[in-house]
Amino acid sequence: MPESTTNEHIVVIGGTRGLGLEIARAAVARGDRVTVTGRDPQRNAERAAELGENARHGVCDLTDWASLQAFFDSVDGPIDHLVLVALDRDNNDIRDFRPDDSAHTSLMKNVGYATSVHYALPKLAADGSVLMFSGLSMWRPFPGSTTISMANAGVVGLATSLAVQIAPVRVNVITPGVVGGTDAVDNADPVRAEAYEAARQRTPGKRLPTPDNIVDASFALMDNRGINAANLVVDSAMHTI
């Protein structure tokens, strides 16, 4: 688990479930203050209560610009690190393509991420950072990943642009591979389960990265001020074979 005495303020968009919640837990454990968000007010409040007295919660939707503005207006600044981990698992294949579903996912992960930074910018600490989540599907597509492959590639392009535009605030990307021990992988449908197993077999060590691996890598990008405009791939070398 990351160790720190910084007592920083970390805002996690998508911090009420999955990897976002794991990052929030680790932040609280190391003494940081966290604000977690999601679209469900009740879930947000419950997760913040579970995290303890150093946790706050807010509501926002990455496709609702007014909700993003209202959320960041309500945040007690400064924000030391903004983590954008929220995703929409659009299962879309080009042969049976659903443009409306694809547009919603792309809007959320690309324009929504950019809009979040826009509204957060007045409160971002100059020595702080933005961390955005991409995914290995931009290089290694999986069944139904047409939209998310596009969106993940867009996140990397966005980060490169933002690192120049909002300096000295640092902007980095983490690109997980298939992460074992998660609901999306452990309870995948048969077609995706087969693809995920093939991905595991591709890794040199025949193992998938774990949520703890992703959390540790996330804090490395947040804490190390020498890392900027980087895309850290945490996939147990899956992409090399």
Side-chain angles (χ1 to χ4, degrees):
M1 180 176 294
E3 294 181 0
S4 173
T5 57
T6 56
N7 188 31
E8 294 180 318
H9 181 201
I10 300 176
V11 173
V12 187
I13 306 296
T16 62
R17 64 177 69 200
L19 293 172
L21 181 57
E22 294 304 316
I23 291 171
R25 282 199 183 104
V28 169
R30 74 179 203 158
D32 292 325
R33 295 169 292 117
V34 298
T35 301
V36 296
T37 78
R39 291 177 292 184
D40 185 335
Q42 181 175 347
R43 174 189 287 274
N44 300 346
E46 290 172 353
R47 294 298 177 267
E50 292 171 9
L51 291 168
E53 61 182 13
N54 279 344
R56 300 291 182 270
H57 62 91
V59 179
C60 64
D61 182 334
L62 284 172
T63 62
D64 181 343
W65 321 138
S67 79
L68 288 169
Q69 181 176 15
F71 167 69
F72 282 106
D73 284 348
S74 73
V75 172
D76 292 331
I79 299 171
D80 295 293
H81 303 289
L82 172 62
V83 181
L84 293 156
V85 64
L87 57 81
D88 182 8
R89 296 187 183 279
D90 178 39
N91 188 354
N92 220 328
D93 187 278
I94 201 66
R95 291 180 179 82
D96 188 26
F97 196 60
R98 303 182 311 280
D100 288 343
D101 290 342
S102 181
H104 182 273
T105 296
S106 296
L107 189 71
M108 187 214 77
K109 185 139 191 178
N110 297 140
V111 182
Y113 276 22
T115 304
S116 296
V117 175
H118 167 70
Y119 286 123
L121 193 55
K123 295 184 178 180
L124 281 170
D127 59 354
S129 75
V130 175
L131 175 61
M132 300 189 290
F133 271 65
S134 180
L136 197 65
S137 64
M138 64 178 168
W139 297 324
R140 289 279 191 177
F142 290 89
S145 74
T146 304
T147 302
I148 202 65
S149 293
M150 292 189 296
N152 283 334
V155 168
V156 177
L158 173 62
T160 303
S161 175
L162 290 179
V164 175
Q165 293 185 66
I166 69 172
V169 177
R170 296 178 296 109
V171 184
N172 291 300
V173 176
I174 186 164
T175 295
V178 177
V179 182
T182 59
D183 181 68
V185 173
D186 293 349
N187 296 310
D189 63 74
V191 173
R192 288 197 176 196
E194 182 178 355
Y196 294 156
E197 175 58 20
R200 185 184 71 81
Q201 291 295 335
R202 275 204 304 269
T203 66
K206 303 295 186 288
R207 64 174 295 275
L208 297 175
T210 67
D212 284 346
N213 297 150
I214 307 304
V215 170
D216 289 344
S218 298
F219 280 98
L221 292 173
M222 283 186 269
D223 293 341
N224 191 323
R225 294 181 182 176
I227 304 177
N228 193 17
N231 176 23
L232 179 57
V233 180
V234 186
D235 70 341
S236 297
M238 186 183 305
H239 69 285
T240 64
I241 298 176

